[in-house]
Amino acid sequence: MTGVEHPVIRTPDQRIRVFVSSTLRELAEERRAVREAVERMRLAPVMFELGARPHPPRSLYRSYLEQSDVFVGIYGASYGWVAPGEEVSGLEDEYNLAPRSMPKLIYVKDVPDRDEKLAELIARIQADDTAAYLHFETAEELGERVAADLATLLAERFDESRADAAASAEPDLAARVPAPYTTTIGRDGELAELRALLAGGEHRVVSLIGPGGIGKSRLAIVAAHANADLFPDGVYFVPLEGVLEPGLLLPTIAYVLGIRDTGADSLEERIAQSLDDRRVLIVLDNFEQIVDEAPVLVRLYTLAPNACFLVTSRTILRIRGERVFDVDTLGLPPADAPATLAQARSSAACVLFAERAAAVKPDFELTEANASDVIEICRRLDGLPLAIELAAAKVRLLPPADIATRLGRALPLLSAPVRDLPDRHRTMRATIDWSVGLLAEDQREMLEDLGVFGARFTLDAVEAVGASRPWGDHAIETLAALIDASLVRQMDQDGRSVFSLLAIVREYALEALEKRGDADELKIAHAEHYLGLVKRVAPRLRGPGQVDAVTELGLEVPNLRAAARHLVQTGRLEEAADFAWSLIVYWWISGYFADVRVWMLELLASGRPMSDRARAIAAFFTTWAEMWQQPSVEVVSTLGESARLFAESGDDHAAAMVQTARATTRLQFPDLDPEVARAELDDAVVRLQRFGDRWSESLAEVALGQLGVVCQDIAAATGHFDRAVQIADEADDAFTRIVAGNNRARFRFLIGMRDECEEEFLLTLRLSILLRFVDGATYGIEGMCALAAARGEAWRAGALAGAAATIRQTTGIFDIEEFAVHRQPLAAIRAADPDAVAAGERAGRDMSLAEAIALALPDADAETRRSAAAW
């Protein structure tokens, strides 16, 4: 490069740009095929013949390369012309000028003879780890390959850096399965055995059985990471430590799989549909507290024959298809062997002690002087990993000899209250007793009080719940002491510091709290804090703060569950019902209706007196699923009773909301009486306007628009959909804008308003990404599929259809057949160009949600790209 400044030469289009490099005349047919493939995907082909040429050729293609995103090289027989004064042809110069970070797709045509210099260039490209290299024979084959390969690159549009994306070997797995807190020691044999069991395919449920603290969860996590290659369709980790109600097993599994419960179909059916013939591993951690639900797994693996379940439990499940794997303690030196340094170093238990001790006291190491004491400690603790970790944490205060002596005194004594438990259970409980016994009184009380929290909690929550406790004035220092004792763990999550207890420590803490007689007081304090949080956040669930509010609540789900449980258990039914009702927007967006239904059933089964309003709320939430699964006269009647109870309790606002739901249920009746539904919805709209509830009013207008579609009243449908969108826009509410916008866009497509509906689909897709609303994103992708099909973009339409179908299958999203706007145009273009549609569908079925969004949104802004990549 010289110091001469070159004028900026703009490429023909500013979407994702694909630079096409080849000889011109020799490969003219192939260039046309590649151009068509790129344009089918609504990307911009950057080709020498497409631009005006007031500049020298080399300046032109240099500038084009600088503005391009992907490099496609097509090589045949000719090396190309070498200009006077140049050492290489334009073909090689283009490859040399392409940035190393730019993805390069290289296609070499099979020809009988090739220029020697081109052969040398191809050999150099083959050694370039930034280039993908494929052969082809015909222009048609080339076009299909280019389209499929570009589809796999589109997700990079959403990454902060291509280098980061390339460096991440298994991004999905890392997001689903937690990383072990520390290194895993002494489990190589078990991991090899588990791989053999999982690889064989004949064991549907592999249960890791052992007492608390033996390392079942860690072994399951490490095994999940180590065996991801056996499960090409995904590995999922389902934590069950905070799931105490049997009815929450399926909702928890569904949520981890990405299935959002909005009421359509039973969760069991939706999970089975999602898994179908996919080869997946599902890790269910801490199953013992809901072991009576084990037969559910039999039904799931019967419906999903390629799914495998890896379960951790303290007790055997005793179900058909279970393969029990007893998790053993860590290896100890032989009982009759001398307690030497060599023996300690060859023992996994002693190595674990040394590593964890060094973590709290960096200068600690196994020596001749301490080897016998470390061996004695590990023997007394029976090789139990958690017990060893708790003991090792004490080396900050005590040398190994003192730890061994104190253990010798403590374990027999403290084991006595739990002698009905198996030996290793007693050892683990006694070790926790000993570890807790070394705490100061306020530290011990804090640990027990923390048992009321869910799987994770923040310092703010600890300080709020402990405001009236003895440790309340020095919560930070006390919490730090518990972290030092390895009884509390700290981690970073989404930019904030959170804390957690291991399941067995939480169980111990809550049991101690119950014995102390303070459990109800702490449960109430916990519930009060989260009631306050909900009261602060709930108003922002409607309007401009919605996205942030949904994100904030998403970080608190374990404690929202715990708070609801505490309210029901302590008899505060009115507050439990109000808690559920105030979060109706969140439950809907995030798909937690099944959870709420469990709490409401418990509320109704409590036998305690409750107000009409609480009964109305419970009736609504327990009927919600049936609105979609089995719309019937009975459902309409129950919702009518809920509306009546709301009205009689003085909450006419809630009554109007339920009336909207009742009318929406009527729309699904095959023998719909339109006048009854219209009268209910019109009345609901008037009442909702009186209360200023723009959120519910917009949804009621959507239902009126759908009624217009069913009745083929175009004017009415147009007016109501327009009104629904207007209300959502005025309220600046993302959720209702998505629902109203998708319905209006589908309707506009059906009546031929193609340009207007494209703008709407793109908007709702962007909003769905920000809200992480899978349903809305899927409707948007299908809308863009319909438009692509109508425009003759066969491959792109097929890819979007395949991607949407996969999303619906894996997430269980329900749709009304009459509103599936892409079906008819896709069928039409399939008849005209079946091969291209089929090729697109094959590519689309393998796309992630982010890749599908990239294909539908080629011009996404930076914020949208970041949000989609993090989804």
Side-chain angles (χ1 to χ4, degrees):
M1 292 281 292
T2 67
V4 179
E5 285 190 12
H6 296 282
V8 175
I9 306 167
R10 302 307 299 174
T11 56
D13 191 293
Q14 292 306 299
R15 288 180 284 185
I16 293 179
R17 296 171 290 277
V18 181
F19 183 95
V20 182
S21 172
S22 75
T23 52
L24 299 182
R25 293 197 181 98
E26 176 200 16
L27 296 172
E29 185 179 357
E30 285 77 8
R31 289 176 70 83
R32 276 196 302 273
V34 170
R35 177 182 175 183
E36 290 170 3
V38 173
E39 289 177 338
R40 281 202 304 269
M41 300 175 67
R42 300 197 68 212
L43 309 182
V46 180
M47 307 176 78
F48 186 85
E49 63 264 43
L50 296 181
R53 301 190 187 92
H55 311 281
R58 194 166 193 238
S59 297
L60 185 68
Y61 66 66
R62 185 195 302 274
S63 183
Y64 275 16
L65 269 167
E66 289 173 354
Q67 298 174 58
S68 295
D69 302 288
V70 181
F71 180 99
V72 170
I74 315 166
Y75 305 134
S78 175
Y79 175 70
W81 178 60
V82 180
E86 301 290 346
E87 297 181 357
V88 298
S89 70
L91 193 71
E92 184 167 359
D93 199 24
E94 288 172 346
Y95 186 85
N96 293 339
L97 288 171
R100 181 171 176 79
S101 62
M102 181 182 290
K104 302 177 187 68
L105 305 176
I106 307 300
Y107 303 89
V108 179
K109 186 172 183 177
D110 291 331
V111 294
D113 296 302
R114 202 181 319 274
D115 285 352
E116 182 178 351
K117 296 194 74 171
L118 179 57
E120 292 173 358
L121 172 61
I122 291 171
R124 178 159 67 89
I125 291 170
Q126 286 177 301
D128 185 347
D129 59 4
T130 69
Y133 174 88
L134 290 169
H135 285 271
F136 72 97
E137 293 182 356
T138 66
E140 292 75 13
E141 178 190 3
L142 174 64
E144 184 170 334
R145 286 197 170 191
V146 169
D149 291 342
L150 285 173
T152 65
L153 289 173
L154 285 171
E156 292 183 357
R157 178 78 170 174
F158 293 89
D159 290 336
E160 290 290 331
S161 132
R162 291 189 179 95
D164 289 344
S168 179
E170 40 185 32
D172 290 341
L173 179 64
R176 295 171 182 156
V177 183
Y181 287 104
T182 50
T183 56
T184 301
I185 294 171
R187 294 299 189 188
D188 292 347
E190 287 97 328
L191 288 169
E193 290 182 54
L194 282 173
R195 184 169 182 83
L197 292 174
L198 296 173
E202 66 269 22
H203 303 298
R204 308 309 309 284
V205 177
V206 177
S207 298
L208 306 184
I209 305 299
I214 204 167
K216 302 183 299 294
S217 297
R218 175 186 293 275
L219 183 58
I221 288 169
V222 175
H225 282 281
N227 294 292
D229 61 306
L230 301 177
F231 300 93
D233 297 314
V235 178
Y236 301 86
F237 185 85
V238 183
L240 297 174
E241 59 181 288
V243 179
L244 304 181
E245 299 89 348
L248 290 181
L249 173 61
L250 282 174
T252 305
I253 294 174
Y255 199 84
V256 171
L257 291 176
I259 298 169
R260 298 300 179 256
D261 179 34
T262 54
D265 294 332
S266 72
L267 273 179
E268 191 171 300
E269 291 171 347
R270 297 175 80 187
I271 292 171
Q273 177 189 3
S274 170
L275 297 176
D276 193 23
D277 60 352
R278 297 166 66 205
R279 177 73 173 148
V280 299
L281 176 66
I282 300 174
V283 182
L284 301 172
D285 190 37
N286 289 302
F287 203 91
E288 61 274 352
Q289 55 209 5
I290 50 172
V291 72
D292 290 342
E293 286 290 279
V296 170
L297 301 186
V298 178
R299 297 200 296 272
L300 287 180
Y301 76 60
T302 301
L303 294 169
N306 289 322
C308 180
F309 295 88
L310 181 62
V311 179
T312 74
S313 175
R314 297 182 204 171
T315 60
I316 298 173
L317 307 191
R318 302 190 186 282
I319 56 174
R320 186 176 73 253
E322 180 183 24
R323 170 61 158 83
V324 175
F325 186 98
D326 289 310
V327 179
D328 205 352
T329 53
L330 293 179
L332 294 163
D336 56 354
T340 64
L341 177 59
Q343 288 287 351
R345 286 175 173 170
S346 65
S347 158
C350 295
V351 171
L352 175 66
F353 181 95
E355 182 179 287
R356 301 301 187 261
V360 297
K361 193 173 188 292
D363 61 349
F364 181 88
E365 60 180 342
L366 282 172
T367 65
E368 292 285 1
N370 64 27
S372 62
D373 294 318
V374 171
I375 290 173
E376 177 66 15
I377 292 168
C378 294
R379 281 176 176 162
R380 286 192 177 278
L381 298 177
D382 203 15
L384 282 163
L386 179 57
I388 291 169
E389 291 190 27
L390 291 175
K394 306 302 180 288
V395 299
R396 286 185 68 181
L397 305 173
L398 302 169
D402 284 357
I403 295 174
T405 299
R406 288 169 178 261
L407 275 174
R409 294 197 303 264
L411 293 191
L413 173 65
L414 294 177
S415 295
V418 287
R419 280 188 180 144
D420 58 322
L421 294 175
D423 287 346
R424 285 171 179 165
H425 286 270
R426 289 193 291 118
T427 300
M428 189 64 248
R429 289 294 302 274
T431 304
I432 297 176
D433 270 335
W434 169 74
S435 192
V436 171
L438 296 177
L439 299 173
E441 183 177 355
D442 57 346
Q443 295 167 2
R444 184 168 59 253
E445 286 193 6
M446 174 186 261
L447 178 69
E448 294 169 358
D449 293 350
L450 294 179
V452 301
F453 283 101
R456 56 182 180 266
F457 47 88
T458 64
L459 178 60
D460 288 345
V462 171
E463 289 176 328
V465 171
S468 62
R469 308 299 294 168
W471 49 264
D473 292 335
H474 46 276
I476 295 178
E477 296 83 358
T478 310
L479 190 61
L482 295 180
I483 294 171
D484 289 344
S486 294
L487 291 164
V488 173
R489 287 179 168 169
Q490 182 273 335
M491 69 206 81
D492 293 326
Q493 179 180 322
D494 295 319
R496 67 176 188 171
S497 185
V498 297
F499 306 89
S500 70
L501 303 177
L502 288 175
I504 189 172
V505 177
R506 179 181 292 103
E507 177 186 293
Y508 176 96
L510 196 53
E511 183 179 312
L513 190 60
E514 298 276 3
K515 287 181 180 178
R516 210 173 73 201
D518 291 343
D520 281 355
E521 178 185 343
L522 265 295
K523 287 177 180 178
I524 290 171
H526 177 279
E528 292 275 4
H529 171 68
Y530 287 98
L531 277 170
L533 181 146
V534 166
K535 287 178 181 176
R536 292 193 303 274
V537 175
R540 291 191 282 118
L541 285 169
R542 307 183 188 206
Q546 186 177 76
V547 172
D548 289 340
V550 168
T551 301
E552 184 175 349
L553 290 171
L555 298 173
E556 298 289 0
V557 168
N559 282 301
L560 296 180
R561 283 176 164 173
R565 185 185 307 123
H566 294 158
L567 290 169
V568 174
Q569 288 176 348
T570 56
R572 300 175 68 164
L573 305 188
E574 303 302 316
E575 288 167 302
D578 191 60
F579 179 86
W581 187 253
S582 64
L583 290 178
I584 184 172
V585 180
Y586 178 69
W587 308 137
W588 195 344
I589 292 172
S590 297
Y592 279 117
F593 275 120
D595 295 54
V596 186
R597 185 173 187 272
V598 170
W599 306 329
M600 295 298 99
L601 288 172
E602 289 179 359
L603 185 147
L604 292 173
S606 68
R608 292 171 171 158
M610 68 186 78
S611 68
D612 284 348
R613 186 172 184 277
R615 288 192 181 279
I617 292 169
F620 174 82
F621 280 120
T622 54
T623 309
W624 173 268
E626 294 181 17
M627 284 174 54
W628 308 102
Q629 293 173 24
Q630 297 173 324
S632 64
V633 173
E634 290 74 17
V635 172
V636 169
S637 175
T638 302
L639 290 173
E641 176 66 7
S642 174
R644 183 187 68 79
L645 290 171
F646 271 125
E648 290 183 357
S649 70
D651 192 343
D652 193 50
H653 177 198
M657 292 172 62
V658 176
Q659 182 167 306
T660 301
R662 181 172 62 171
T664 302
T665 306
R666 294 187 192 277
L667 295 183
Q668 300 176 71
F669 287 3
D671 56 345
L672 168 68
D673 184 337
E675 295 308 316
V676 172
R678 185 178 293 110
E680 284 186 338
L681 288 169
D682 285 341
D683 177 63
V685 166
V686 171
R687 294 159 68 188
L688 292 168
Q689 286 174 338
R690 187 166 68 245
F691 290 106
D693 183 355
R694 313 307 303 278
W695 190 85
S696 299
E697 183 188 354
S698 178
L699 296 178
E701 289 286 357
V702 168
L704 281 165
Q706 291 174 338
L707 179 61
V709 173
V710 172
C711 296
Q712 299 183 348
D713 187 338
I714 292 177
T718 300
H720 288 300
F721 285 142
D722 286 347
R723 177 63 179 154
V725 168
Q726 178 188 352
I727 295 168
D729 279 336
E730 290 172 354
D732 196 11
D733 184 276
F735 177 73
T736 52
R737 186 62 180 86
I738 293 165
V739 175
N742 273 329
N743 275 276
R744 183 170 74 170
R746 288 172 149 200
F747 174 68
R748 283 178 166 177
F749 181 88
L750 293 174
I751 62 174
M753 299 173 65
R754 301 288 166 79
D755 292 339
E756 293 89 339
C757 75
E758 177 175 22
E759 182 180 344
E760 191 113 68
F761 278 132
L762 291 173
L763 173 61
T764 61
L765 190 48
R766 291 188 179 95
L767 290 174
S768 297
I769 293 165
L770 296 178
L771 200 57
R772 296 194 177 187
F773 185 41
V774 181
D775 301 51
T778 308
Y779 291 130
I781 291 169
E782 288 174 342
M784 296 308 295
C785 167
L787 286 164
R791 291 167 177 160
E793 301 170 359
W795 186 93
R796 186 165 181 266
L800 290 170
T806 297
I807 295 167
R808 284 199 181 276
Q809 178 189 356
T810 56
T811 61
I813 297 173
F814 167 81
D815 194 19
I816 300 173
E817 184 70 25
E818 292 80 359
F819 287 89
V821 71
H822 65 300
R823 299 278 173 80
Q824 185 175 347
L826 186 67
I829 197 169
R830 190 193 305 277
D833 194 349
D835 292 341
V837 172
E841 286 177 321
R842 286 195 299 272
R845 281 193 292 269
D846 292 332
M847 287 182 184
S848 66
L849 179 59
E851 289 170 327
I853 290 170
L855 182 57
L857 274 180
D859 298 319
D861 56 38
E863 182 181 6
T864 304
R865 293 199 302 272
R866 284 193 298 270
S867 298
W871 197 344

